Amino acid sequence: MVTPVSIVAKDLTITLSELRNLMELRKTDAVKKIQANYGDINQLCKRLKTSPTDGIYGIPSELDTRRTVFGKNYIPPKKPQTFLELVWDALQDPTLCFLIIAALISLGLSFYNPPGGSAAACHATDMEEEDEEEEMDWIEGCAILLSVLCVVLVTAFNDWSKEKQFQGLQRRIESEQKFTVIRKGEVIQVPITDLVVGDVAQIKYGDLIPADGLLLQGHDLKVDESSLTGESDHVKKSLTADPMLLSGTHVMEGSGKMVITAVGINSQAGIILSLLGVGETSEKTKDKDNKAKKTKDSSEAPKNLDTVDTERGDEDVEIKTNEEEKPKKAPSHKKEKSVLQAKLTRLAVQIGKGGLAMSILTVIVLLARFFIINFVMMKLVWTKECTPLYLRRILKDLIIGVTILVVAVPEGLPLAVTISLAYSVKQMMKDNNLVRHLDACETMGNATTICSDKTGTLTMNRMTVVQAFISNTHHRVIPELHLVHPTTLDCLRKGIATNCAYTSQIASPERRGGLPRQLGNKTECALLSFLLELKQDYEAIRKMIPEEQLYKVYTFNSERKSMSTVLKNDDGSYQMFTKGASEIVLQKCCFILNEDGESVAFEEEDYALMIKNVIDPMASEGLRTICLAFRDFPADDEEPDWDDEDDIIKDLTCISIVGIEDPVRPEVPEAIRKCQNAGIVVRMVTGDNFNTARAIAVKCGILQPGDNFLCLEGKEFNRRIRNSEGEIEQELFDKVWPTLRVLARSSPSDKYNLVDGIINSNVTKQRQVVAVTGDGTNDAPALKRADVGFAMGIAGTDVAKEASDIILTDDNFSSIVKAVMWGRNVYDSISKFLQFQLTVNIVAVIVAFTGACITQNSPLKAVQMLWVNLIMDTFASLALATEKPTEALLKRKPYGETLFDIENGRTAAPEGPPTQHYTIVFNAFVMMQIFNEINARKVHGERNVFEGIFTNSIFCCIFVGTLIVQILIVQVGGKPFSCASLTLEQWLWSIFLGIGSLLWGQLIVSIPNKCLCFLKEVGEEIVEAEDEIFEEEVAEEEKEIDYGEREFLQSRLLWVRGLTRIQTQCRVVNAFRASLYDDLEAATMGPDEMV
């Protein structure tokens, strides 16, 4: 039955509210409701104008009608902040607020001039110059407000562009999510947002159900509903007991078909999200949800789409193992902050505290000197007329202190991290890495171990049967049709056609001359191709025995390592076909088909010979071996208990053993070699035969001839790591994992235990950082436990993708190597930025403080310091955080979890008010910072700092743009920027001093590291109030995570660089003082001022 072409709303004789009420029921209550109101699910399908077998017709007008009546399968995201809201958020910065208030007060005082309030009348020293330019006092207040406005707008724009990037990434993820439905009798894939009520969808092991529905047909179907109900037990679904399938739940076993009854905000997940205000734009709802949504775990209200998270959650994923297989405590090493974020937070707080102390000290020095000189030494009296003048002077000192704090606090750190991560995520998408959690980028740069699957990751995942044991003969090539007995051939044709998922099929090539397309499970596709090579049509068998007529299906899972399908014959007898891991299925065989197609006894001796002569030789060539078998249940016998698997799947008759080849990807050996050179150990974890796994490991380069590494099967692995009571002991585990390279015939729990044990190990100085690949539902626990989980974008299930951090869109191991490069590049980008920013921070604070102490006036004015802050925060973060990775990143060992704090030190020089003297100092200072950006491009002692500079167009544009703006500030800035225009000669001297920072960089690179062992790392043993609570929470896990509180050689090197640079600064200052400053001071200062 095919749905009529034209459908209008009145044809749908069931309402939205009826369906919503129905889907709120569970188990037998729902079954009774369906029987009472509709008769059965087929009758409900009629009211939805859909066919249980052929689905809807699917023309655009019909789809539009269904969306109008029942809604779209789309949950609107929460409305993002507008640009004005982001501007308001940026204005919440306390230091900027203080600057705004101070600037407004300064403006008010500049227009208040009471009689007798001049500097001369008040006899205030160091204020005559201000009195002369009294009418221009308003300029500084306006300039500060303008500078604050620039900082706020730049910050808001960066936040806005970041939000746009994330939205674009989210849209891409949504567009790539597809689901299998039946429309007009054809099986097709559609984006999940195109699903409508009435669609008949196919569901299978590993799917994330995208909408609510009712079960039409199921085979051994079990669903994890913990995301909605909180119950961890898998719920078995059937037409008679519980046909309700809910959006956001995971199919853990089996397969089936469902009719969709609720989509989008009308589904159970959508209703929960609506309660949280998702998609609502009212201010009331938004304010209410800001708190709720931050604390709500995504698993409590799952969306039917993947999401991009800035932080990875720690929710546990159920693992079906015995209690004794679980460690007593599996501490989670993941915190709310990643390693890099925690490290930078500590550094930022430390620098901020230092800047606060220096700003307070500067204000105290300036005010103390003003009061001592004027009211102690000169014995002036504070009069009412002079109050505005004194207040204006005090206010300027406070503004200087606040601007020092603004410059000292490294607001650019989070911006640099955001820009670097966002840039890396965008570029990684081009390298087939779809990043779901941003912290996975930088964590991948620390990776020391990669536990990789074999199939599809190291191999091409295009499987082909190349050898077969049929009729007591081992065929090294596919046998000719006449060599196979008709009885055996009939069993092969019927067994493969019906005992493979009906979603697995061989399609015609996409282009002429290409290979046929393999749709569905690749192993099953290899078996179907084997039938085609034997000139057998599997489609004809499937038409004779449609999926609905399959009596019982035991779907494949990691425990069975096999799949069985039961067919009921017309005479009341049953026939079961089984396929699975050869040595496991073969153990259950008591008979085998001989060359005449007759069943003969299969004894234990025959089993040993089969292993030795057939299975091992195939496996040694890297072939996956599959055993095909069957069993007949006569009609005269009592019908067996189909739920008793052990009694059903036994006494089998072996039909054939096939060897399936899955070639190693040609680029994998080179990628693994790069990992090994980079200090990353690659381990293969597979469910395949031991010999197959070892052969593939040799082809990939994981194992080399002469290596003394371990290759273990799952059973032997468990025997070695468990004590006499069956519990895992870390001490025993630590004797195994360092040399383990291949783990064959492994279960999901073995994979989880391997990852968990490596992470918890203390054998090495640094905690191991583990990356894991996985594609199956049962890989989810290991993917969650790993530092970085990679799911397969093509072969991976939805459950695996949701548990992962990064999705490999091409399922290729070489893409993991690119992720390592980008991860290390993030570290280097942040290091470059820190190297540059800490230079400006320390130098600017020291210059302002020393200037205030010596001249009673900061050489760096408020407006100038805001401009410097803009250079080092926004522009530098954009320029230095967008470097592209190179192959050189893979030629050094991982950073691990050590604290990579790039420390202080570079160029220096003070600046000045609107005189050429101080303008030259200011200009030289900025020139040094501009050229220092070039030095900061290299952080590992490279001499050629210009290498690859023109490959980063953003860096070049910002470098030139900053230089142009600096020229404009100096030449036309005038009073607002406290600058006087300079001559060509003075500009050349400034540029010469700036270029000098490149020469100093070369000199410092020449210092051997071994001479710097006596230096300590800045930030060691710093205890912060904010971190004390954080440290208490992770006290039990201190052994697992070392945030880098150990000495690190690069930080020592940069500390000495800092000392050298500050000495350089002092020499520059002394040079100016000796020539210009002393003469000017002697000419302008009176006797009283030289005290």
Side-chain angles (χ1 to χ4, degrees):
M1 181 184 75
V2 178
T3 305
V5 174
S6 179
I7 286 183
V8 294
K10 65 182 181 180
D11 294 330
L12 301 167
T13 57
I14 189 170
T15 64
L16 174 62
S17 59
E18 283 184 70
L19 291 175
R20 284 187 61 162
N21 293 335
L22 174 63
M23 296 311 299
E24 289 176 357
L25 301 176
R26 298 290 180 269
K27 299 185 179 179
T28 54
D29 291 338
V31 174
K32 292 177 182 178
K33 180 79 170 180
I34 294 171
Q35 292 174 346
N37 291 3
Y38 312 107
D40 59 19
I41 295 178
N42 288 334
Q43 294 301 315
L44 189 146
C45 288
K46 287 183 180 180
R47 297 183 65 173
L48 284 172
K49 299 299 179 183
T50 186
S51 165
T53 55
D54 296 331
I56 63 175
Y57 199 79
I59 62 173
S61 60
E62 178 189 3
L63 297 177
D64 291 340
T65 300
R66 292 181 182 275
R67 292 190 185 105
T68 302
V69 176
F70 300 113
K72 300 178 180 178
N73 193 34
Y74 174 71
I75 299 175
K78 193 162 185 177
K79 185 180 178 183
Q81 285 184 296
T82 64
F83 184 77
L84 289 179
E85 289 173 333
L86 293 172
V87 169
W88 177 253
D89 287 345
L91 281 171
Q92 305 308 306
D93 189 315
T95 53
L96 291 181
C97 292
F98 190 91
L99 276 177
I100 293 172
I101 294 171
L104 292 174
I105 295 174
S106 177
L107 273 176
L109 292 175
S110 67
F111 293 110
Y112 179 61
N113 295 306
S118 66
C122 296
H123 301 287
T125 63
D126 72 359
M127 298 181 69
E128 284 84 356
E129 183 180 345
E130 295 181 8
D131 191 39
E132 293 173 4
E133 299 183 1
E134 190 175 305
E135 66 280 1
M136 301 296 288
D137 281 347
W138 60 273
I139 292 179
E140 184 170 16
C142 290
I144 292 175
L145 288 176
L146 185 61
S147 300
V148 170
L149 180 63
C150 289
V151 172
V152 167
L153 290 177
V154 168
T155 302
F157 177 77
N158 282 325
D159 291 340
W160 178 80
S161 60
K162 178 185 71 174
E163 184 66 27
K164 286 292 182 184
Q165 272 192 329
F166 290 155
Q167 287 178 359
L169 184 59
Q170 176 69 24
R171 283 194 294 270
R172 172 168 174 170
I173 292 175
E174 292 174 4
S175 65
E176 292 180 352
Q177 283 278 305
K178 293 187 176 181
F179 209 73
T180 304
V181 298
I182 301 173
R183 288 181 180 175
K184 203 165 53 176
E186 297 178 357
V187 177
I188 60 173
Q189 284 196 328
V190 299
I192 58 174
T193 52
D194 289 350
L195 295 175
V196 296
V197 170
D199 260 325
V200 174
Q202 292 185 340
I203 53 176
K204 63 183 183 303
Y205 162 82
D207 280 345
L208 175 67
I209 299 177
D212 291 352
L214 298 174
L215 183 66
L216 293 172
Q217 168 196 326
H219 300 298
D220 202 21
L221 190 64
K222 293 181 181 178
V223 178
D224 178 7
E225 296 184 346
S226 60
S227 57
L228 286 178
T229 65
E231 297 178 5
S232 59
D233 292 336
H234 295 169
V235 180
K236 189 171 184 178
K237 298 293 181 178
S238 66
L239 291 171
T240 56
D242 187 2
M244 314 303 286
L245 296 170
L246 306 176
S247 60
T249 59
H250 300 106
V251 180
M252 305 305 290
E253 279 190 42
S255 61
K257 290 195 301 186
M258 62 179 279
V259 58
I260 295 177
T261 55
V263 295
I265 58 174
N266 298 310
S267 66
Q268 294 303 296
I271 291 171
I272 294 175
L273 289 170
S274 297
L275 296 175
L276 295 175
V278 172
E280 297 182 14
T281 57
S282 66
E283 290 300 319
K284 179 179 179 181
T285 305
K286 181 162 55 175
D287 292 339
K288 180 179 176 182
D289 292 340
N290 278 339
K291 294 180 181 177
K293 196 163 183 182
K294 288 179 183 176
T295 57
K296 187 75 175 175
D297 192 297
S298 61
S299 66
E300 293 179 31
K303 296 185 181 180
N304 53 2
L305 308 173
D306 284 339
T307 55
V308 180
D309 303 320
T310 55
E311 294 177 355
R312 179 175 175 185
D314 290 326
E315 60 272 22
D316 295 328
V317 178
E318 180 193 9
I319 177 168
K320 303 293 285 185
T321 59
N322 296 330
E323 286 300 320
E324 64 270 18
E325 290 195 357
K326 294 184 182 179
K328 289 183 179 180
K329 180 168 181 172
S332 174
H333 62 277
K334 298 199 173 173
K335 314 302 177 194
E336 292 187 0
K337 296 177 182 177
S338 69
V339 177
L340 183 62
Q341 289 170 329
K343 166 181 56 183
L344 295 181
T345 299
R346 292 185 173 202
L347 183 62
V349 172
Q350 177 186 341
I351 295 172
K353 287 181 178 179
L356 178 62
M358 291 297 288
S359 64
I360 293 173
L361 193 57
T362 302
V363 172
I364 292 174
V365 170
L366 288 172
L367 293 179
R369 183 161 181 172
F370 172 73
F371 281 104
I372 290 172
I373 291 177
N374 288 283
F375 299 107
V376 177
M377 298 177 64
M378 297 186 64
K379 298 182 179 179
L380 297 179
V381 179
W382 187 302
T383 62
K384 183 178 180 180
E385 293 78 9
C386 296
T387 296
L389 193 63
Y390 294 151
L391 290 179
R392 194 181 309 147
R393 178 66 177 81
I394 294 171
L395 185 62
K396 287 187 177 181
D397 292 343
L398 292 175
I399 290 175
I400 290 174
V402 174
T403 49
I404 288 176
L405 180 60
V406 170
V407 174
V409 174
E411 303 98 333
L413 278 181
L415 181 61
V417 173
T418 298
I419 291 175
S420 182
L421 289 177
Y423 176 75
S424 297
V425 166
K426 188 175 181 181
Q427 296 299 317
M428 285 173 73
M429 290 176 70
K430 299 177 182 178
D431 288 336
N432 302 310
N433 284 271
L434 182 58
V435 180
R436 297 185 65 249
H437 304 106
L438 289 184
D439 64 336
C441 280
E442 53 105 347
T443 306
M444 200 58 208
N446 301 329
T448 57
T449 291
I450 298 175
C451 296
S452 175
D453 277 346
K454 176 184 75 69
T455 305
T457 309
L458 301 176
T459 59
M460 296 179 68
N461 202 25
R462 181 173 181 86
M463 300 193 184
T464 308
V465 175
V466 294
Q467 296 185 29
F469 179 86
I470 305 178
S471 303
N472 281 338
T473 304
H474 185 180
H475 299 275
R476 297 282 176 176
V477 294
I478 302 301
E480 297 293 333
L481 184 60
H482 68 274
L483 297 176
V484 183
H485 192 276
T487 303
T488 304
L489 190 63
D490 183 62
C491 289
L492 274 177
R493 180 175 60 248
K494 193 173 182 181
I496 292 176
T498 59
N499 194 35
C500 289
Y502 279 44
T503 53
S504 298
Q505 50 190 296
I506 307 298
S508 56
E510 290 183 341
R511 60 180 182 278
R512 197 168 197 172
L515 293 172
R517 288 179 295 151
Q518 295 184 341
L519 305 179
N521 183 279
K522 303 304 179 186
T523 302
E524 293 180 340
C525 287
L527 295 174
L528 294 174
S529 297
F530 177 52
L531 277 185
L532 295 177
E533 290 196 51
L534 290 174
K535 307 293 189 290
Q536 303 300 305
D537 184 9
Y538 71 89
E539 287 288 357
I541 300 294
R542 289 183 171 181
K543 288 179 180 177
M544 290 174 53
I545 308 174
E547 190 175 8
E548 294 79 15
Q549 292 184 16
L550 301 181
Y551 187 77
K552 177 73 176 178
V553 178
Y554 301 93
T555 54
F556 178 89
N557 62 33
S558 58
E559 295 176 1
R560 293 190 184 114
K561 291 194 179 297
S562 66
M563 175 180 176
S564 301
T565 300
V566 180
L567 305 177
K568 186 173 183 179
N569 301 319
D570 294 337
D571 59 359
S573 64
Y574 299 92
Q575 190 174 33
M576 181 183 70
F577 293 95
T578 299
K579 71 174 188 296
S582 55
E583 62 267 43
I584 294 176
V585 174
L586 206 58
Q587 278 184 328
K588 301 177 181 180
C589 290
C590 295
F591 307 94
I592 187 170
L593 294 180
N594 63 12
E595 57 273 10
D596 297 325
E598 299 174 349
S599 294
V600 296
F602 186 76
E603 307 293 344
E604 289 188 9
E605 296 80 6
D606 298 321
Y607 174 80
L609 288 174
M610 187 74 76
I611 294 291
K612 180 181 178 181
N613 298 329
V614 178
I615 294 176
D616 283 351
M618 285 184 180
S620 64
E621 297 179 33
L623 304 183
R624 169 180 287 184
T625 56
I626 300 294
C627 179
L628 304 172
F630 75 96
R631 180 184 177 186
D632 289 323
F633 296 87
D636 299 336
D637 294 349
E638 183 181 349
E639 183 171 347
D641 180 6
W642 298 110
D643 292 329
D644 187 357
E645 284 188 47
D646 294 334
D647 187 55
I648 298 297
I649 307 176
K650 69 175 186 178
D651 299 334
L652 304 177
T653 301
C654 177
I655 305 171
S656 172
I657 293 174
V658 297
I660 300 176
E661 181 184 43
D662 187 10
V664 173
R665 293 179 183 267
E667 63 273 19
V668 163
E670 176 64 16
I672 289 178
R673 186 188 61 80
K674 289 179 180 178
C675 285
Q676 292 168 343
N677 292 339
I680 302 172
V681 176
V682 180
R683 294 178 169 86
M684 180 196 293
V685 184
T686 178
D688 268 353
N689 176 283
F690 176 83
N691 292 326
T692 303
R694 186 169 57 183
I696 295 295
V698 172
K699 291 181 181 180
C700 293
I702 294 175
L703 294 176
Q704 300 289 344
D707 284 344
N708 189 26
F709 292 131
L710 281 176
C711 298
L712 299 176
E713 284 192 333
K715 290 182 179 179
E716 177 64 15
F717 171 72
N718 279 283
R719 186 187 68 79
R720 293 194 182 197
I721 66 173
R722 296 178 186 275
N723 58 23
S724 57
E725 297 178 358
E727 296 179 346
I728 297 175
E729 280 193 8
Q730 188 66 42
E731 185 177 348
L732 295 174
F733 187 90
D734 288 341
K735 295 178 181 179
V736 175
W737 77 263
T739 56
L740 181 65
R741 292 297 180 271
V742 177
L743 185 58
R745 284 291 180 234
S746 63
S747 66
S749 60
D750 293 337
K751 192 172 188 177
Y752 177 87
N753 292 332
L754 175 65
V755 174
D756 185 66
I758 294 176
I759 289 174
N760 290 334
S761 177
N762 292 319
V763 172
T764 55
K765 289 184 179 180
Q766 297 175 358
R767 203 269 280 173
Q768 294 287 302
V769 179
V770 183
V772 171
T773 69
D775 56 6
T777 299
N778 287 322
D779 288 328
L783 290 171
K784 272 293 185 188
R785 182 68 180 110
D787 295 282
V788 181
F790 287 89
M792 303 297 106
I794 300 173
T797 63
D798 290 340
V799 178
K801 291 176 184 177
E802 189 164 288
S804 68
D805 301 293
I806 298 175
I807 297 174
L808 297 179
T809 57
D810 61 348
D811 289 11
N812 196 334
F813 183 86
S814 61
S815 298
I816 300 177
V817 180
K818 294 176 183 176
V820 173
M821 289 175 58
W822 278 107
R824 294 188 175 189
N825 191 63
V826 167
Y827 256 71
D828 277 11
S829 296
I830 303 305
S831 301
K832 294 168 188 176
F833 173 74
L834 282 174
Q835 185 172 253
F836 173 71
Q837 189 182 55
L838 293 182
T839 300
V840 188
N841 275 344
I842 294 173
V843 173
V845 170
I846 291 176
V847 168
F849 176 71
T850 54
C853 294
I854 296 171
T855 66
Q856 200 180 347
N857 193 7
S858 173
L860 296 173
K861 301 302 179 188
V863 178
Q864 295 172 342
M865 293 181 79
L866 285 172
W867 161 239
V868 171
N869 192 55
L870 198 63
I871 294 177
M872 71 179 186
D873 273 355
T874 302
F875 298 150
S877 62
L878 184 60
L880 294 173
T882 53
E883 293 275 358
K884 294 183 178 179
T886 63
E887 291 286 339
L889 292 167
L890 298 176
K891 295 179 181 178
R892 62 172 184 267
K893 302 301 179 185
Y895 291 136
E897 296 277 347
T898 56
L899 185 62
F900 189 61
D901 281 345
I902 302 300
E903 294 306 326
N904 50 18
R906 273 291 190 259
T907 58
E911 48 173 26
T915 65
Q916 286 190 332
H917 164 216
Y918 278 119
T919 303
I920 289 174
V921 176
F922 166 63
N923 201 34
F925 172 72
V926 173
M927 288 297 107
M928 287 181 174
Q929 304 314 314
I930 291 175
F931 283 99
N932 184 46
E933 271 189 273
I934 300 176
N935 271 341
R937 292 183 66 252
K938 305 293 179 182
V939 293
H940 295 288
E942 301 96 326
R943 287 198 173 276
N944 185 4
V945 295
F946 294 96
E947 181 181 1
I949 192 171
F950 294 109
T951 62
N952 189 344
S953 57
I954 297 178
F955 181 93
C956 296
C957 292
I958 289 179
F959 182 87
V960 175
T962 305
L963 189 61
I964 292 172
V965 175
Q966 176 65 17
I967 293 172
L968 294 175
I969 287 175
V970 171
Q971 295 302 112
V972 300
K975 177 68 176 177
F977 285 90
S978 299
C979 290
S981 60
L982 301 181
T983 64
L984 178 61
E985 181 181 358
Q986 292 166 337
W987 266 104
L988 291 176
W989 275 108
S990 298
I991 294 174
F992 174 76
L993 291 172
I995 294 176
S997 64
L998 297 176
L999 302 178
W1000 282 114
Q1002 295 298 309
L1003 178 62
I1004 291 168
V1005 165
S1006 303
I1007 302 174
N1009 290 357
K1010 62 184 179 180
C1011 300
L1012 310 174
C1013 297
F1014 62 95
L1015 292 173
K1016 287 280 188 179
E1017 178 186 37
V1018 169
E1020 192 174 17
E1021 298 180 0
I1022 293 294
V1023 180
E1024 302 162 9
E1026 295 89 335
D1027 285 345
E1028 287 177 358
I1029 298 175
F1030 179 74
E1031 291 296 331
E1032 289 175 3
E1033 292 177 353
V1034 299
E1036 295 181 0
E1037 301 168 0
E1038 195 62 32
K1039 293 182 180 179
E1040 299 170 48
I1041 290 233
D1042 182 3
Y1043 282 116
E1045 298 297 338
R1046 300 174 236 175
E1047 294 180 348
F1048 192 49
L1049 196 56
Q1050 279 88 340
S1051 62
R1052 300 171 181 166
L1053 174 61
L1054 293 172
W1055 172 261
V1056 153
R1057 292 181 183 178
L1059 297 178
T1060 307
R1061 295 299 187 180
I1062 293 174
Q1063 290 174 357
T1064 305
Q1065 167 200 343
C1066 295
R1067 285 196 286 274
V1068 174
V1069 175
N1070 291 335
F1072 276 105
R1073 285 181 56 82
S1075 57
L1076 297 173
Y1077 184 81
D1078 290 344
D1079 294 339
L1080 181 63
E1081 188 176 43
T1084 58
M1085 295 182 64
D1088 295 335
E1089 296 172 316
M1090 300 179 67
V1091 177

